[in-house]
Amino acid sequence: MTIPALELNDGHSIPQLGYGVFKVPADETERAVSQALEIGYRHIDTAAIYGNEEGVGAAIAASGIPRDELFITTKLWNDRHHGDEPNAAIAESLEKLGLENVDLYLVHWPTPAKDDYVHAFAKLIELRDAGLTRSIGVSNFLVPHLERVVAETGVTPAVNQIELHPAYQQRDVVDWATEHGIRIESWGPLGQGKYDLFGTPAIAEAAAAHDVTPAQAVLRWHLQKGFIVFPKSVRAERLRENLDVFGFELTDAEMAKIDALDPLDGSGRVGSHPDDVN
Ligand code: NAD
């Protein structure tokens, strides 16, 4: 199974499909990540706030997979944007992961009421230059946040990881990011199971036409849009299913029908609004 890689704006590349471990309990993470690595995943998305970086690290160490074949992302939590806290935070994450560096380090949320996300991103530039992370990016940033980090630091994040699924496509953020060479990572790519995505006719019909599951049709839609995805499951059969999305292609008409599922008034959002997280 070859997972396609996308090039980032800093010249590094990222596997377009990975495995996210949000809400995987700390004591189950080593087993879950080991299982994902065995099945063929090479890109793992974690975060300091998930509390499971040790488990990710234990699975990496046990796997014997060469470090340069893995792509590991972790994230700076909201209460550590100020001063030199990002330096301490990445050191703690690396210690837990048992790694000398990560492939991608993200500012997890902009926390706009605190107005310290530009500083946090500027610190990430230093961490990248010090070799502690290869690439740097942001998460949950809206257009005004992206505009400020680019204008005030002179560096364009490599990715913006945002809530994105058929009912919530954030086209303004995607368009701005795409124009500026920022890759989009879709979090909650399956809508976190919070609405009946799989029963939606556009999804169910596309799945039936290609003899795949609705989850596979949705993941295929993300991939064909050029988004990076890392769906979460702890079940081996679903991990296999979610990786098996490179043997079919949705037609333009099928893509357009899924594109049209966003009510466009923001009502399809299943997670927090970035302006409300501080
Ligand atoms: P998701 O959309 O991946 O949904 C996960 C749910 O879908 C789980 O309940 C799982 O049981 C179910 N599922 C998975 N595969 C399935 C399949 N083949 N068939 C049927 N159901 C299936 O949501 P998520 O886990 O929130 O998002 C993926 C990753 O994104 C996370 O693990 C995390 O790494 C990242 N994330 C980032 C942020 C952020 O703020 N940056 C927020 C949430 C998630």
Side-chain angles (χ1 to χ4, degrees), residues 33-108:
V33 174
S34 295
Q35 175 177 258
L37 294 173
E38 250 166 61
I39 288 171
Y41 289 82
R42 291 294 179 267
H43 166 181
I44 309 293
D45 183 273
T46 184
I49 196 67
Y50 299 169
N52 57 20
E53 288 169 312
E54 281 113 333
V56 173
I60 292 170
S63 74
I65 298 169
R67 175 67 185 91
D68 63 1
E69 291 177 20
L70 296 170
F71 190 101
I72 310 298
T73 299
T74 194
K75 313 184 191 92
L76 175 71
W77 187 239
N78 303 344
D79 58 359
R80 308 198 76 176
H81 288 182
H82 58 286
D84 287 335
E85 276 297 292
N87 305 51
I90 198 170
E92 287 165 29
S93 286
L94 291 173
E95 170 82 26
K96 288 177 181 164
L97 289 163
L99 299 176
E100 286 176 6
N101 56 27
V102 284
D103 297 279
L104 181 60
Y105 196 50
L106 305 180
V107 178
H108 203 145

Side-chain angles (χ1 to χ4, degrees), residues 187-266:
W187 70 249
L190 303 174
Q192 297 186 323
K194 289 184 179 164
Y195 64 101
D196 186 20
L197 177 59
F198 300 157
T200 306
I203 307 288
E205 286 162 16
H210 294 276
D211 198 17
V212 297
T213 67
Q216 289 173 315
V218 174
L219 294 173
R220 189 67 216 172
W221 173 82
H222 285 277
L223 296 172
Q224 288 181 217
K225 298 294 281 185
F227 305 145
I228 296 157
V229 278
F230 22 80
K232 178 231 148 185
S233 174
V234 292
R235 290 163 52 174
E237 68 276 16
R238 283 186 172 168
L239 286 170
R240 283 197 196 90
E241 176 184 327
N242 295 345
L243 196 57
D244 185 15
V245 287
F246 299 103
F248 68 101
E249 194 161 341
L250 299 179
T251 64
D252 290 348
E254 289 162 344
M255 290 292 290
K257 280 190 187 164
I258 302 175
D259 287 349
L261 293 176
D262 186 339
L264 299 177
D265 60 0

Side-chain angles (χ1 to χ4, degrees), residues 139-141 160-164 170 173-174 184-187:
S139 178
N140 298 301
F141 275 42
N160 186 18
Q161 181 179 128
I162 55 173
E163 178 183 338
L164 203 159
Q170 301 216 50
V173 181
V174 171
I184 292 292
E185 297 190 324
S186 304
W187 70 249

